[in-house]
Amino acid sequence: MPFLGQDWRSPGWSWIKTEDGWKRFEYLNHKLGDNINELTLEELDNDKENIYVGDVCEVAAKKRKKDFFNNNTKSQHGYCTLGEAFNRLDFSSAIQDVRRFNYVIKLLQLIAKSQLTSLSGAAQKNYFNVLEKIVRKVLDDHHNPRLIKALLNDLSSTLCILIREVGKCVLIGNINIWVCRLETILNWQQQLNNLQIPKQVSNGMTLSDLPLHMQNNILFKFSDACDIISLGQTTPTLHMLSEDRQLWKKLCQFHFAEKQFCRHLILSEKGHVDWKLMFFTLQKYYPVKEQYGDTLQFCRHCSILFWNDRHLALIFKDSGHPCTANDPDSCLTPVSPQHFIDLFKF
């Protein structure tokens, strides 16, 4: 489970053997100030045989003192940079989770559009490593090629501008590295464009075998217009259902406000509202709602970003984050990809 910020459970304690048994040896006290190392070492010399940790205490004392001052500094300026957050959160594992895949894709797309140059060299390397894993995954399992294609289009456009305007903007690393990255992206785009999804042969029940009303109910669960159109291209029956006026009306009502309908009202030749055309018209002017199976969580009490541990959540109804608040659930806020970017805009 990834954390941003100092974990209150570490580093570990040191112990001293007494007549009553082992007791915790608190050799770090913030009130001791600069004399902390001297006091610790002096106490250790007086009772070397009883102290379990031995010579490691000196190093541990210095580390704790350094962490204490780092905590004070970080608390004044927030967590860290966007690049540090991207490095410390486990996005490589997140793309293997179908519920988090779309979330990570959207976040990478936002970074590609406006935040790529703000990443450190290590964060940029991590960014392209995660991107490569996504491309390899899509080429292997053929899932969500449309999303990764859109991401690569935005990223290639950004890299073209950065390379063309070299000298006018700050680029971390040699220009040849960026050219190589652009060539790699163009190669990925070509592989995805040549991707042939084989027809699946199944002896069991398929979507087309379901009753008409069940197929219609499935379509009404969709919130992505492109998914509805793609599904409608598979069979004549699904095409008929995907053109239903009530389906597109519900989609418009889900993504847009009623006031926005009045500004862009579109009527068909028969005098009815063309909800499908209205949706794509409204989409040009207003953002659509984003839905994700799982998102990053932000604990307002601890000021920590983390992924929910779904195994703990299912078994113990626990997020997996060891919050010290009286009511931890009330302190958690889901973080959208745009909100994640905004958290690190100082």
Side-chain angles (χ1 to χ4, degrees):
M1 178 180 55
F3 286 87
L4 282 180
Q6 294 296 317
D7 188 349
W8 56 269
R9 300 171 297 183
S10 64
W13 298 104
S14 301
W15 298 81
I16 184 171
K17 188 176 182 181
T18 65
E19 295 179 355
D20 299 328
W22 289 91
K23 292 186 177 181
R24 194 171 69 194
F25 181 55
E26 297 181 336
Y27 56 86
L28 176 62
N29 189 332
H30 298 330
K31 297 180 180 180
L32 297 179
D34 295 333
N35 297 326
I36 183 170
N37 290 338
E38 298 176 4
L39 179 59
T40 301
L41 295 177
E42 184 179 349
E43 290 179 355
L44 292 175
D45 290 335
N46 292 336
D47 199 1
K48 286 184 179 179
E49 295 181 358
N50 293 334
I51 296 178
Y52 181 76
V53 292
D55 296 335
V56 181
C57 289
E58 181 180 2
V59 178
K62 292 181 179 179
K63 182 179 182 300
R64 292 192 181 188
K65 184 180 178 182
K66 180 180 179 181
D67 289 341
F68 171 67
F69 288 111
N70 285 342
N71 282 340
N72 290 343
T73 304
K74 287 182 179 180
S75 64
Q76 297 174 2
H77 303 286
Y79 284 133
C80 47
T81 65
L82 175 63
E84 291 170 335
F86 189 84
N87 285 338
R88 297 178 67 179
L89 291 166
D90 191 6
F91 289 104
S92 295
S93 299
I95 62 175
Q96 304 301 327
D97 190 334
V98 66
R99 303 173 309 149
R100 298 173 179 175
F101 184 84
N102 290 11
Y103 183 92
V104 177
I105 290 288
K106 182 63 176 180
L107 180 58
L108 294 182
Q109 193 170 18
L110 292 175
I111 292 176
K113 288 181 177 180
S114 60
Q115 302 295 321
L116 192 60
T117 56
S118 68
L119 299 180
S120 64
Q124 289 177 9
K125 185 177 180 180
N126 188 21
Y127 178 94
F128 284 97
N129 285 340
V130 173
L131 184 61
E132 181 179 7
K133 291 180 180 179
I134 293 175
V135 174
R136 297 305 170 199
K137 181 179 183 299
V138 173
L139 291 174
D140 291 339
D141 59 23
H142 304 152
H143 291 165
N144 296 308
R146 176 173 58 86
L147 297 179
I148 187 62
K149 284 181 180 180
L151 167 58
L152 292 179
N153 285 336
D154 290 337
L155 186 57
S156 60
S157 300
T158 300
L159 289 185
C160 286
I161 295 174
L162 293 177
I163 293 173
R164 186 170 61 248
E165 297 182 355
V166 61
K168 298 180 181 179
C169 59
V170 178
L171 289 181
I172 297 178
N174 191 284
I175 184 63
N176 294 327
I177 296 177
W178 291 92
V179 173
C180 182
R181 287 171 175 170
L182 179 58
E183 292 176 350
T184 302
I185 292 171
L186 296 177
N187 184 35
W188 288 340
Q189 287 178 311
Q190 185 176 4
Q191 293 181 51
L192 290 169
N193 290 333
N194 296 332
L195 180 64
Q196 297 293 330
I197 301 178
K199 184 177 180 180
Q200 295 183 356
V201 179
S202 176
N203 297 326
M205 180 177 289
T206 64
L207 183 62
S208 302
D209 298 326
L210 295 175
L212 198 63
H213 72 278
M214 294 186 68
Q215 296 183 43
N216 193 47
N217 288 340
I218 292 174
L219 277 170
F220 269 79
K221 298 296 183 181
F222 283 32
S223 61
D224 191 318
C226 293
D227 289 339
I228 293 176
I229 294 176
S230 298
L231 187 59
Q233 294 173 346
T234 56
T235 66
T237 301
L238 287 171
H239 176 72
M240 176 194 68
L241 295 175
S242 67
E243 295 294 326
D244 184 20
R245 290 181 63 252
Q246 293 300 319
L247 172 64
W248 290 97
K249 179 180 179 181
K250 185 176 180 181
L251 198 64
C252 287
Q253 292 173 339
F254 174 78
H255 286 285
F256 308 107
E258 187 174 352
K259 293 182 179 179
Q260 297 169 344
F261 297 164
C262 302
R263 299 175 184 174
H264 303 279
L265 194 62
I266 300 176
L267 301 177
S268 63
E269 295 179 356
K270 297 181 180 180
H272 301 297
V273 177
D274 191 336
W275 291 104
K276 182 178 180 180
L277 186 57
M278 265 193 64
F279 176 85
F280 289 103
T281 302
L282 291 169
Q283 193 179 30
K284 297 177 181 178
Y285 298 97
Y286 309 104
V288 296
K289 290 182 180 179
E290 298 178 0
Q291 279 192 317
Y292 304 101
D294 192 14
T295 68
L296 284 170
Q297 299 289 321
F298 178 70
C299 178
R300 298 187 302 274
H301 177 76
C302 305
S303 296
I304 286 176
L305 279 168
F306 66 99
W307 289 108
N308 262 331
D309 191 317
R310 62 174 178 174
H311 300 293
L312 289 176
L314 290 173
I315 300 174
F316 303 108
K317 295 182 179 180
D318 184 2
S319 65
H321 161 55
C323 183
T324 58
N326 294 330
D327 186 7
D329 292 339
S330 64
C331 301
L332 301 183
T333 303
V335 180
S336 68
Q338 185 60 58
H339 186 199
F340 179 86
I341 299 293
D342 295 339
L343 282 174
F344 300 96
K345 288 183 178 179
F346 300 108

